[in-house]
Amino acid sequence: MSLNTFGQLFRVTTFGESHGAAVGGIVDGCPQGLPLQEEDLQEALDKRKPGTGGAATPRKESDTVRILSGTYNGLTTGTPIAFMVVNENQRSSDYDTLKDVFRPGHADWGFFQKFGMRDHRGGGRSSARETIGRVAAGAIAEKLLATAGISVRSATIELGGIPVQSIDLEGAYDRPFYSADASVVEAWEARVQEARKNNDTLGGIVQTEAWGVPAGLGEPVFGKLDAMLACAIMGIGAVKGVEIGDGFAAARATGSSNNDPLLPGGAFASNHAGGILGGISSGQTILLRAAVKPISSIAREQSTVDIHGAPVTIRVGGRHDLSAIPRCVPVHRAMAALVLADMLLLQRRLGRS
Amino acid sequence: MSLNTFGQLFRVTTFGESHGAAVGGIVDGCPQGLPLQEEDLQEALDKRKPGTGGAATPRKESDTVRILSGTYNGLTTGTPIAFMVVNENQRSSDYDTLKDVFRPGHADWGFFQKFGMRDHRGGGRSSARETIGRVAAGAIAEKLLATAGISVRSATIELGGIPVQSIDLEGAYDRPFYSADASVVEAWEARVQEARKNNDTLGGIVQTEAWGVPAGLGEPVFGKLDAMLACAIMGIGAVKGVEIGDGFAAARATGSSNNDPLLPGGAFASNHAGGILGGISSGQTILLRAAVKPISSIAREQSTVDIHGAPVTIRVGGRHDLSAIPRCVPVHRAMAALVLADMLLLQRRLGRS
Amino acid sequence: MSLNTFGQLFRVTTFGESHGAAVGGIVDGCPQGLPLQEEDLQEALDKRKPGTGGAATPRKESDTVRILSGTYNGLTTGTPIAFMVVNENQRSSDYDTLKDVFRPGHADWGFFQKFGMRDHRGGGRSSARETIGRVAAGAIAEKLLATAGISVRSATIELGGIPVQSIDLEGAYDRPFYSADASVVEAWEARVQEARKNNDTLGGIVQTEAWGVPAGLGEPVFGKLDAMLACAIMGIGAVKGVEIGDGFAAARATGSSNNDPLLPGGAFASNHAGGILGGISSGQTILLRAAVKPISSIAREQSTVDIHGAPVTIRVGGRHDLSAIPRCVPVHRAMAALVLADMLLLQRRLGRS
Amino acid sequence: MSLNTFGQLFRVTTFGESHGAAVGGIVDGCPQGLPLQEEDLQEALDKRKPGTGGAATPRKESDTVRILSGTYNGLTTGTPIAFMVVNENQRSSDYDTLKDVFRPGHADWGFFQKFGMRDHRGGGRSSARETIGRVAAGAIAEKLLATAGISVRSATIELGGIPVQSIDLEGAYDRPFYSADASVVEAWEARVQEARKNNDTLGGIVQTEAWGVPAGLGEPVFGKLDAMLACAIMGIGAVKGVEIGDGFAAARATGSSNNDPLLPGGAFASNHAGGILGGISSGQTILLRAAVKPISSIAREQSTVDIHGAPVTIRVGGRHDLSAIPRCVPVHRAMAALVLADMLLLQRRLGRS
C-alpha cells in the first residue's frame, strides 16, 4: 500500500513508465496450484487496449504479455509471478514540446516537485500504461478468487453527465464504453462527439461489484475492507471520489431507512451498506462507485508555467483518449480483485476460510 | 494499513474495546525533539467526548489520557509513544439484551462471521472508543506537521440533509455540531429534535482540509496521497464515501473546466483537484469530504436475526448518540494528520523536504 | 521487523524505557479463541526477573503485568492484546553521573548519534526492560504454537567460557543460570565469583530449540525461517552471533558428512541442518545457538569520552547484572516463539496448515 | 523481509527460478538522480558467474542483464528499477532423475512440504540463480551508498577448514576464490582437488565489511542494524551462522576485554563490537562473518526417499559447483549493501543524515 507495492499477502509490485523498455510487475504471495496461462493475462489486458469504445485514442499497441516466472506446467507454483509487456510504438518526439512545461491537471507538477526531475515523455511513471501491471495482476487475483466462488465486475454507469437507466455489469464488456446499459450508448456517443468537437474531454462514473464474497473478510480497524477498497480505487489515475453502497446518499438518510434488516439464512432485506458493515464483508454483494474526472490533456490552449516558472500557454496534442473511460474500467475491476484476494488470504490466517 | 497498525514510517497501532480495561495506542516512528505533553493529547480527546453538540449521548466519561513512554523532559525521544485511557463507567448490563442478537447496520454480524465469536458489549473492538487511540495519535502527528508549517482542520458541512451555506473550518470547534457555518446550527438543532422524536438517527458530511502542505508529498503509484487519505477516512466508522476536491462533481465536468491552470510562483488559478494531482500534493490546500451514514443504533423496533439464525425484533436502547457527527469530526482530522505525517517522513527519504 | 514492530501476521509492538511510566506492548494478529490469562504472561515474565541465578542484580522489581485489551472471558478475541508493566523502583539518581558520558560497549553512543539526544537513565529504550514486552508477547505466541503442537525451549549451554557437558533444555528453568546441564553449575558459580571479584562481567551461549514444528514453515527467499530466526535472535541485546544447526562447524564439514539423509516417514538420519533446509522447516527439531557478549557495564575504570568529546574515565556502578545470562534466556525463547507463530500464520494462507 | 521482498524503504523484490523464462527483480524506493547503467549491474553480476575461481561449475551462462524501467538519460528517476536476465542454456533433462526424489541437504523436501508441489528443475525458486536479482539490486544499493561515502566489500576468509593468514578485502575480486589472502590460494586449490576426487563438496567462511558507515544507522529495538544484517546474510543459501565483530569469541570474553573504549573525535580504541552497539552503527567499520555450509549436491551415492516415501539412493550428477564459495561472495556483499541502503534512507526520516 505504499510506494509501488500493493497488498499484504497477495502483493503486486508494478514497474515501468510509458517510454521505458517495458512495463509489468511481480505478483508475490499467490498460492500454488492455480491454473494460469499468458492467455489469461492477455485477455484482461486486451480489455484496456486503445480502440475500445468511442472515447479512445487511435494509437496502436499490441501489448503482448509474457510471463517470466512463477508457473510450471500451466499452474502457479507459489513463487513470484513476474510478467512484462514490451513498450512499442513510442514516439517520444510527440512529447518534445512538453519537455519544459507543466500540463494543467496532470501529475507533471507534483512529480517534478517531488523528485526535482522527471521523465516527461508520455507521463512517465504516471502514465496509464502503468496500469498494465495492475490489470495483469488483477487477472491473477481473479484466478484465486474463483477458487472461493468470488467474481468481480466493473462497468461504466455515467459518462459526460449522462447516467445509465439500468445496470447490468455482467454484459458490459460487450458494449461500447463498457456500459452497464445499452440504452444510453447512443446518447454517450453524441456527447463524445460534442466534446471532441470542442477539443474537450469527459469524466464519468464506474461501478464495481463483487459477488460471492463470504461474510468475514476485512479487519475491524485499519484494514477495513471498505478502507482497502477506497485506497485501491482512489489510487487509480483520475479517480476523485469513492462510494460504498449508498455512499453520499447515506449521509442524507436516516438510520431507520439506511439499516439493512437481517433475515434468516445470512440474507438481508436490503443492501444500503454495499455489502460491508464495520469494515467487514456481510456476505452481500460488495458495491462501490468511483468518480472519474475528465482527462486533463485537452487540445485547447491553456495557461500554465514552464519549469523556470514563466507563464506560457500550451495545447496538448498527441494521441490522447477523450476520457479515461472505458479503458480504466478493467483497472477498477483489477484493483478490487487485488484487495479481495489479499483479504481472502488474510482471513485464512484465522483458520476460518 | 492493515490489521491494527496505520502508516509506514509514522505509525500508530491502537488497542482496546469499549468494555475492556483500557483503550489507547502506540505511536512509533515519531521523530525526536517534538514538544509533547499529556495536555496535548487531552485537548484533542476532549473534542471527541460525549456531550459535545446536540447529537451526543448523555454518557459521562472522563477519558483522562496518560502517556506511558517516549517522552523525556517534555520532548519526544524518537522511541515509541504509548498512551492509554482507562475505561470507566462501563455498564455491561446495558448490553445484555444484545448478547445473542445482531444489530442491523452494525459491525456485529461481520465480526461474528469473521471470528466465530465476539465481545458483544458496546460494540467491542468496533466501538467508537477505539478512535481514542486515533485522536491521540493524530495530535502527535500534528506536532510533527506543525514543524513543517502544515495544519489540518475538519468540520461538519452537512447534517441530516441540510448543508452549510459557507465554510469556515478554523472556527468549527467553537460551534455546535463542529459546524463550518454558524448560520445552519438552528436548522440542524431542529432536525436533530425531529429525529430524536422519531427515534431515528442522522448522517452528514465532514470536510477536512490541510493547509501548508508542500508540493511533492505522496507516491506516484500505490502510495498516492489521495489513496492514503481515502484509506484513512473510509476506515473511520460510518463513513461510506470520500471525495477529493470536486469529487463526484468532477465526473460531470469537462477537462477544460476541471483543469487548474498553473500560475507563476507555484500558484494555481483554481483548486478543483483538491490539492492533489497524480497522487502527489500540488502545494494547494488539500480538500476532502466524507459521507457519514446515520448511526445504526436506533430506538425503534427492527427486524433481525439472533446468533442461532432465528428472526427476532430488537430495539436498541442504551446511551447512543443520534449521529456520529460531531464526535467523529476530530477523528477525521486525526486520520488526515496521520497520513500527512507519514507522507512527510516518507518524502524526507528523498532528501527533498 | 523494523522500528518497534516485529512480525508480519503475528506482530508485537513494544514500548517503554527503563525510567518511563511503564513498559509493555501490543500483540496484533493473534487469532481468536486461545485461552489467555494475566497469569500466563506473569509466569513468563517472572523467569526474566532479577534475582534468578547467580549472575543477577539485587534490584527488586515486582513487574506485575496487566492485560488491557483483547481478551474476553479468558479467551483471546482476535483483537489487539495490549499489556503493560508499571515501572517501579526507579532510582534515576543512580544514573546522574552518566548523564554526559558515553559508556564503552553500550548503546549510549550510537543512540545519541542517531537522535542527537537521549534519555540516559538506565539505558532508556535500550534497557533490558524493553524485553518485558517481548517475553509477554512470546508467551502469547506460545499459546498459539501449543495449538499446533509446537513448543520452544531455551537454556544456557556455556558461561564464561565453560560449556555444558550435556544438554537438557526441558529442565533448564529449574536450574541455576537456566543451565542445560546441572553438572556445570558449580564451575559457573566459581567463574561468576571470580568475575565479580575482578569487577568484570561474563558472556556465554544460549541454545534454543523448537519441537513439533511441521515441515513447510518459512518462505523460500527473503522470509526464510532461519533468516527470520537470525533476525529475531540477533536483535536481542548483547547477542553477537547466531548459528543454526551445526553453524560454523558446518563451514568446516564436507557435503557428504553434513547432509542429513532422509528416511521414510518424514524422518532424517541426522540433524546437522538444525531443522531448516533452504529456509523451510524440515519437520526436525529447530536448533539454534546465540553468542551473548559480556555485559558492558563494569565496575572498573574505563576510558571514554563525554558528550562534548572530551576524554574522561568512568566506573559504572549501580545495580547491574554480571551477565545477560540467565535473564536473557526467556527472551531468546520468546523471540523464537514469535517467529514461529508468525510463520505458522503465514503458512495458513496457503491452505496447507 | 518476508516472502520475496527485502527492505522497508529501499526494497528489492526478486523473481524467477532456474528453469523459467527469466530471473530478475524490481528495486523500489531508490532515490532519483543516481547514475545507473546496465554496465553497473553487469559488472556485479559477472562476479557471481560460473567459472570464477577453482570451485565452480563449467556451465556457461552469459547472464546479460537488461534494465527495463526506472532510469532516464543514465540517471535513476525515483521510480521502480526493473531488470532481468533471460535464462539460457537450460538442460531440464539433466534433472529428470530428480523429478520424484528429495536430495539430502537440499530445499527439495521443505519446498514440497510447503507447497505440496514443486518445480524440481535445478532447484526451482531455491536455485542460486535467484541471487541474480539480489546482486543486481545490491549494485544499485551501492550507488546510493556511494553518495554517502559508504562502501561494502566481501571476501572468502576460510575454505575447507583452511583459514586465511591475513585479510585484505579490497583486492579479493582479483584473487582466486575471492580470497582475502593470496597466500592460502594454493592450499585451497589442493583442498578443492582432493574434495573433487572424493566426489565431495566444501564449505567456508565469508567476511563482509562496510566502510564509511556514519554513526546512527539502525533502530534501537526490532530494526537493529545487526539484526537486519543477520536476517540478510542468514537468508543467503547455505549460510548456517552469522557473527558480528568478535561474534562467538565475544561469548568467551570478559566485559573489560570486550568493551571498545571511546576516544575523542568519534574514534574507538578497538572494534570488538564490529561497528554496531545496541543495534546502531558506531561509526567504526561494520564487520561480519558468515558460515557457508558445503554444497549438498554431491556426486556420491546417498540415502533418501522419493515423493512416495520409499527409500531410494541417489547420486546427484549434473553441473554443480564444488562450493557455494566463491560465487556466493558477491551475494553477501549485495545483501549487506541492501541493508545499509535501507537503513540510510530510514535514518533520513529523522532529518539527521
Side-chain angles (χ1 to χ4, degrees):
Chain A
M1 250 71 77
S2 78
L3 302 177
N4 296 280
T5 297
F6 189 87
Q8 179 161 3
L9 289 181
F10 191 101
R11 297 203 274 213
V12 59
T13 304
T14 71
F15 70 86
E17 37 275 331
S18 57
H19 288 67
V23 294
I26 301 175
V27 168
D28 190 14
C30 181
Q32 72 288 350
L34 302 176
L36 187 71
Q37 309 278 355
E38 286 176 346
E39 291 71 35
D40 298 315
L41 306 192
Q42 195 65 56
E43 187 185 354
L45 290 176
D46 287 348
K47 296 288 189 296
R48 65 161 290 292
K49 262 177 144 174
T52 316
T57 165
R59 186 168 47 146
K60 266 276 159 7
E61 294 167 287
S62 66
D63 284 356
T64 305
V65 71
R66 188 162 174 220
I67 293 179
L68 302 174
S69 66
T71 66
Y72 178 50
N73 289 340
L75 296 176
T76 61
T77 60
T79 62
I81 304 165
F83 53 86
M84 68 176 229
V85 170
V86 172
N87 283 330
E88 302 164 352
N89 188 22
Q90 306 163 349
R91 303 210 316 243
S92 296
S93 56
D94 281 5
Y95 298 94
D96 281 357
T97 56
L98 301 175
K99 195 169 178 305
D100 295 333
V101 180
F102 300 115
R103 289 168 292 173
H106 203 279
D108 288 357
W109 167 258
F111 208 92
F112 187 77
Q113 295 300 319
K114 180 174 198 68
F115 292 111
M117 58 182 285
R118 61 172 176 140
D119 177 354
H120 69 283
R121 302 165 303 165
R125 181 65 179 152
S126 303
S127 162
R129 271 191 81 70
E130 180 272 330
T131 62
I132 284 177
R134 306 192 190 196
V135 169
I140 300 172
E142 289 197 41
K143 290 283 180 180
L144 173 62
L145 294 176
T147 67
I150 300 171
S151 55
V152 185
R153 294 292 181 274
S154 297
T156 309
I157 61 165
E158 185 173 315
L159 186 69
I162 304 171
V164 293
Q165 301 303 314
S166 64
I167 294 184
D168 164 47
L169 265 58
E170 188 61 55
Y173 275 170
D174 297 327
R175 300 186 195 109
F177 305 104
Y178 297 155
S179 174
D181 174 13
S183 76
V184 294
V185 167
E186 205 172 333
W188 286 0
E189 274 165 357
R191 187 79 190 79
V192 164
Q193 290 310 325
E194 179 198 354
R196 183 161 284 139
K197 206 169 52 192
N198 294 339
N199 287 327
D200 218 332
T201 55
L202 299 177
I205 299 179
V206 173
Q207 180 158 317
T208 298
E209 297 187 10
W211 307 325
V213 177
L217 300 199
E219 302 294 321
V221 174
F222 291 128
K224 284 191 165 82
L225 179 53
D226 38 4
M228 291 297 113
L229 286 168
C231 181
I233 299 296
M234 192 71 94
I236 300 172
V239 173
K240 301 301 286 186
V242 179
E243 294 184 313
I244 309 283
D246 285 2
F248 277 84
R252 283 136 199 164
T254 57
S256 61
S257 65
N258 187 65
N259 284 351
D260 301 308
L262 287 85
L263 304 177
F268 288 80
S270 56
N271 187 15
H272 298 292
I276 306 175
L277 289 168
I280 303 175
S281 62
S282 66
Q284 290 197 278
T285 295
I286 307 286
L287 191 154
L288 59 91
R289 279 177 302 280
V292 179
K293 73 168 186 175
I295 278 184
S296 54
S297 294
I298 55 176
R300 281 192 191 198
E301 203 135 288
Q302 296 181 88
S303 299
T304 186
V305 296
D306 64 18
I307 60 172
H308 311 295
V312 293
T313 61
I314 59 159
R315 191 184 147 96
V316 185
R319 303 161 298 168
H320 296 287
D321 289 344
L322 194 106
S323 177
I325 292 173
R327 291 183 62 196
C328 70
V329 171
V331 184
H332 288 239
R333 173 173 164 170
M335 291 307 299
L338 286 167
V339 169
L340 288 165
D342 199 29
M343 291 288 167
L344 185 70
L345 295 188
L346 266 173
Q347 179 67 351
R348 287 193 180 161
R349 82 185 195 280
L350 300 180
R352 288 187 53 78
S353 76
Chain B
M1 249 73 78
S2 78
L3 302 178
N4 296 280
T5 297
F6 189 88
Q8 180 161 3
L9 289 182
F10 191 101
R11 296 203 275 213
V12 59
T13 304
T14 71
F15 70 86
E17 38 275 331
S18 57
H19 288 68
V23 294
I26 301 176
V27 167
D28 190 14
C30 181
Q32 72 288 350
L34 302 175
L36 187 70
Q37 309 277 355
E38 286 176 346
E39 290 71 35
D40 298 315
L41 306 193
Q42 194 65 55
E43 187 184 354
L45 290 177
D46 288 347
K47 295 288 188 297
R48 66 162 290 292
K49 262 178 146 173
T52 316
T57 165
R59 186 168 46 143
K60 267 279 163 1
E61 294 167 285
S62 65
D63 284 356
T64 304
V65 70
R66 187 162 175 221
I67 292 178
L68 302 175
S69 67
T71 66
Y72 178 50
N73 289 339
L75 296 176
T76 61
T77 60
T79 62
I81 305 164
F83 53 85
M84 68 176 228
V85 171
V86 172
N87 284 331
E88 301 164 352
N89 188 24
Q90 306 163 348
R91 303 213 315 245
S92 295
S93 55
D94 281 5
Y95 298 94
D96 281 357
T97 56
L98 301 175
K99 196 168 178 304
D100 295 333
V101 180
F102 300 115
R103 289 169 291 174
H106 203 280
D108 288 357
W109 166 259
F111 209 92
F112 187 78
Q113 295 301 318
K114 179 174 199 68
F115 292 111
M117 58 182 284
R118 61 173 176 139
D119 177 355
H120 69 283
R121 301 165 303 164
R125 181 65 179 152
S126 303
S127 163
R129 271 191 81 70
E130 181 272 331
T131 62
I132 284 177
R134 306 191 190 197
V135 169
I140 300 171
E142 290 198 39
K143 290 282 179 180
L144 172 62
L145 294 176
T147 67
I150 301 170
S151 56
V152 185
R153 294 292 181 273
S154 297
T156 309
I157 61 165
E158 184 173 316
L159 186 69
I162 304 171
V164 292
Q165 301 303 314
S166 64
I167 294 184
D168 164 47
L169 265 57
E170 187 60 54
Y173 275 169
D174 297 327
R175 300 187 195 108
F177 305 104
Y178 296 155
S179 175
D181 173 12
S183 76
V184 294
V185 167
E186 204 172 333
W188 288 359
E189 274 166 356
R191 188 79 190 79
V192 163
Q193 290 309 326
E194 179 197 353
R196 182 161 285 140
K197 206 169 53 191
N198 293 339
N199 286 328
D200 217 333
T201 55
L202 298 176
I205 300 180
V206 174
Q207 179 157 317
T208 298
E209 298 186 11
W211 306 327
V213 178
L217 300 199
E219 302 294 320
V221 173
F222 290 128
K224 284 190 165 84
L225 179 54
D226 38 4
M228 291 297 112
L229 286 168
C231 180
I233 300 296
M234 192 71 93
I236 300 171
V239 173
K240 300 301 286 186
V242 178
E243 295 184 312
I244 308 285
D246 284 2
F248 277 85
R252 283 135 197 163
T254 57
S256 61
S257 65
N258 187 66
N259 284 351
D260 300 309
L262 286 86
L263 304 176
F268 289 80
S270 56
N271 187 15
H272 298 292
I276 306 175
L277 289 168
I280 303 175
S281 62
S282 66
Q284 290 197 279
T285 295
I286 307 285
L287 191 155
L288 60 91
R289 279 176 303 280
V292 180
K293 72 168 186 176
I295 278 185
S296 53
S297 294
I298 55 176
R300 281 194 192 196
E301 202 135 290
Q302 296 181 88
S303 299
T304 187
V305 296
D306 65 18
I307 60 173
H308 310 295
V312 293
T313 60
I314 59 159
R315 191 185 147 97
V316 185
R319 303 161 299 169
H320 296 286
D321 290 343
L322 194 106
S323 176
I325 293 172
R327 291 183 62 196
C328 71
V329 171
V331 185
H332 288 238
R333 173 173 164 170
M335 292 306 299
L338 286 167
V339 169
L340 289 165
D342 198 30
M343 290 289 168
L344 185 70
L345 295 187
L346 266 173
Q347 180 67 350
R348 286 192 181 162
R349 83 186 195 278
L350 300 179
R352 289 186 53 78
S353 76
Chain C
M1 250 72 79
S2 77
L3 303 177
N4 296 280
T5 297
F6 189 86
Q8 180 161 3
L9 289 182
F10 192 101
R11 297 202 275 213
V12 59
T13 304
T14 71
F15 70 86
E17 38 275 332
S18 58
H19 287 66
V23 295
I26 301 176
V27 168
D28 190 14
C30 181
Q32 72 287 350
L34 302 175
L36 186 71
Q37 310 276 355
E38 285 176 348
E39 291 70 35
D40 298 314
L41 307 192
Q42 195 65 56
E43 187 184 353
L45 289 177
D46 287 348
K47 295 288 188 298
R48 66 162 290 292
K49 263 178 143 172
T52 316
T57 166
R59 185 167 46 143
K60 265 279 159 7
E61 294 166 286
S62 65
D63 284 356
T64 305
V65 70
R66 185 158 178 225
I67 293 179
L68 302 175
S69 66
T71 65
Y72 178 51
N73 289 340
L75 296 176
T76 61
T77 60
T79 63
I81 304 165
F83 53 85
M84 67 177 232
V85 170
V86 171
N87 283 331
E88 301 163 353
N89 189 24
Q90 306 163 349
R91 303 212 315 245
S92 295
S93 56
D94 280 7
Y95 297 94
D96 281 356
T97 57
L98 300 174
K99 194 169 178 308
D100 296 332
V101 180
F102 300 115
R103 291 167 291 173
H106 203 279
D108 288 358
W109 166 259
F111 208 93
F112 187 78
Q113 295 300 318
K114 179 174 199 67
F115 292 111
M117 58 182 284
R118 61 173 176 138
D119 177 354
H120 68 284
R121 303 164 303 165
R125 180 67 180 151
S126 304
S127 162
R129 272 191 80 70
E130 180 272 330
T131 62
I132 284 178
R134 305 191 191 199
V135 170
I140 300 173
E142 289 198 40
K143 290 283 178 178
L144 173 62
L145 294 176
T147 66
I150 301 169
S151 55
V152 184
R153 294 291 181 274
S154 297
T156 309
I157 62 165
E158 184 172 316
L159 186 69
I162 305 170
V164 293
Q165 301 304 313
S166 64
I167 293 185
D168 164 47
L169 265 56
E170 188 59 54
Y173 275 170
D174 298 326
R175 301 186 195 108
F177 305 104
Y178 297 155
S179 175
D181 173 13
S183 76
V184 294
V185 167
E186 205 171 332
W188 287 358
E189 274 166 355
R191 188 76 191 81
V192 163
Q193 290 308 326
E194 178 197 356
R196 181 161 286 141
K197 206 169 51 192
N198 294 339
N199 287 327
D200 219 333
T201 55
L202 298 176
I205 299 180
V206 174
Q207 180 157 317
T208 298
E209 298 186 10
W211 306 326
V213 178
L217 300 199
E219 302 294 320
V221 173
F222 290 127
K224 283 190 166 82
L225 178 54
D226 38 4
M228 291 297 112
L229 286 167
C231 180
I233 300 297
M234 191 70 93
I236 300 171
V239 173
K240 301 301 285 186
V242 179
E243 294 184 314
I244 309 283
D246 285 1
F248 277 84
R252 284 135 200 164
T254 57
S256 62
S257 66
N258 187 65
N259 284 351
D260 301 309
L262 286 86
L263 304 175
F268 289 80
S270 55
N271 187 15
H272 298 293
I276 306 175
L277 288 168
I280 303 175
S281 62
S282 67
Q284 290 198 278
T285 294
I286 307 286
L287 190 155
L288 59 92
R289 280 176 302 279
V292 180
K293 72 168 187 176
I295 277 185
S296 54
S297 294
I298 56 176
R300 281 193 190 196
E301 203 135 290
Q302 296 181 89
S303 298
T304 187
V305 296
D306 64 19
I307 59 173
H308 311 294
V312 294
T313 61
I314 59 161
R315 191 185 147 93
V316 185
R319 305 160 297 169
H320 296 286
D321 289 344
L322 195 105
S323 176
I325 292 172
R327 291 184 61 197
C328 71
V329 172
V331 185
H332 288 238
R333 173 173 165 170
M335 290 308 298
L338 285 168
V339 169
L340 289 165
D342 199 29
M343 290 289 169
L344 186 69
L345 294 189
L346 265 173
Q347 179 67 352
R348 287 191 181 164
R349 82 185 195 279
L350 299 180
R352 288 187 53 79
S353 76
Chain D
M1 248 73 77
S2 77
L3 303 177
N4 295 280
T5 297
F6 188 86
Q8 178 161 5
L9 289 182
F10 192 101
R11 299 202 274 214
V12 59
T13 304
T14 72
F15 70 85
E17 36 275 331
S18 58
H19 287 67
V23 295
I26 301 176
V27 167
D28 191 14
C30 180
Q32 72 288 350
L34 302 175
L36 186 70
Q37 310 276 355
E38 285 176 346
E39 292 70 35
D40 298 315
L41 307 193
Q42 194 65 55
E43 188 184 355
L45 290 177
D46 288 348
K47 296 288 189 297
R48 66 162 290 291
K49 262 177 144 172
T52 317
T57 165
R59 186 168 46 144
K60 265 279 162 2
E61 294 166 286
S62 64
D63 285 355
T64 305
V65 70
R66 186 161 176 223
I67 292 179
L68 301 175
S69 67
T71 65
Y72 178 51
N73 290 340
L75 296 175
T76 61
T77 60
T79 62
I81 305 165
F83 53 84
M84 67 176 232
V85 171
V86 171
N87 283 331
E88 301 164 353
N89 189 24
Q90 306 163 347
R91 302 212 316 244
S92 295
S93 57
D94 281 6
Y95 297 94
D96 282 356
T97 57
L98 301 174
K99 195 168 177 309
D100 296 332
V101 180
F102 300 115
R103 290 168 293 174
H106 203 280
D108 288 358
W109 166 259
F111 209 91
F112 186 77
Q113 295 300 319
K114 179 175 198 65
F115 292 111
M117 57 182 285
R118 63 174 175 138
D119 176 356
H120 68 283
R121 302 164 304 164
R125 180 66 180 153
S126 303
S127 162
R129 271 191 81 70
E130 180 272 331
T131 62
I132 285 177
R134 306 192 191 198
V135 170
I140 300 172
E142 290 198 40
K143 290 281 178 179
L144 173 62
L145 294 175
T147 67
I150 301 169
S151 55
V152 185
R153 294 291 181 273
S154 297
T156 310
I157 62 166
E158 185 173 316
L159 186 69
I162 305 171
V164 292
Q165 301 303 313
S166 64
I167 293 185
D168 164 47
L169 264 57
E170 187 60 54
Y173 275 170
D174 298 327
R175 301 187 196 107
F177 305 104
Y178 296 155
S179 175
D181 173 12
S183 77
V184 294
V185 167
E186 206 172 331
W188 287 359
E189 274 165 356
R191 187 76 190 82
V192 164
Q193 290 309 325
E194 179 198 355
R196 180 161 286 140
K197 207 170 51 192
N198 294 340
N199 287 328
D200 218 333
T201 56
L202 298 176
I205 299 180
V206 174
Q207 179 158 317
T208 298
E209 298 185 9
W211 307 327
V213 178
L217 300 199
E219 303 293 321
V221 174
F222 290 127
K224 282 191 166 82
L225 179 54
D226 38 3
M228 291 297 112
L229 287 167
C231 180
I233 300 297
M234 192 70 92
I236 300 171
V239 172
K240 300 302 286 186
V242 178
E243 294 184 314
I244 308 284
D246 285 1
F248 278 84
R252 283 133 200 166
T254 57
S256 62
S257 65
N258 187 65
N259 284 350
D260 301 308
L262 285 86
L263 304 176
F268 290 80
S270 55
N271 187 15
H272 297 292
I276 306 176
L277 288 168
I280 303 176
S281 62
S282 67
Q284 290 198 279
T285 295
I286 307 287
L287 191 154
L288 60 92
R289 280 176 304 279
V292 180
K293 73 169 186 175
I295 278 184
S296 54
S297 294
I298 56 176
R300 281 193 190 196
E301 203 134 290
Q302 295 181 88
S303 298
T304 187
V305 296
D306 64 19
I307 59 172
H308 312 293
V312 293
T313 61
I314 60 160
R315 189 185 150 96
V316 185
R319 305 159 299 169
H320 295 286
D321 290 344
L322 194 105
S323 176
I325 292 171
R327 290 184 62 197
C328 71
V329 172
V331 184
H332 288 239
R333 172 173 165 171
M335 290 308 299
L338 286 168
V339 169
L340 289 165
D342 199 30
M343 290 289 169
L344 185 69
L345 295 188
L346 265 173
Q347 179 67 352
R348 286 192 182 163
R349 82 185 195 279
L350 300 179
R352 289 187 52 80
S353 77

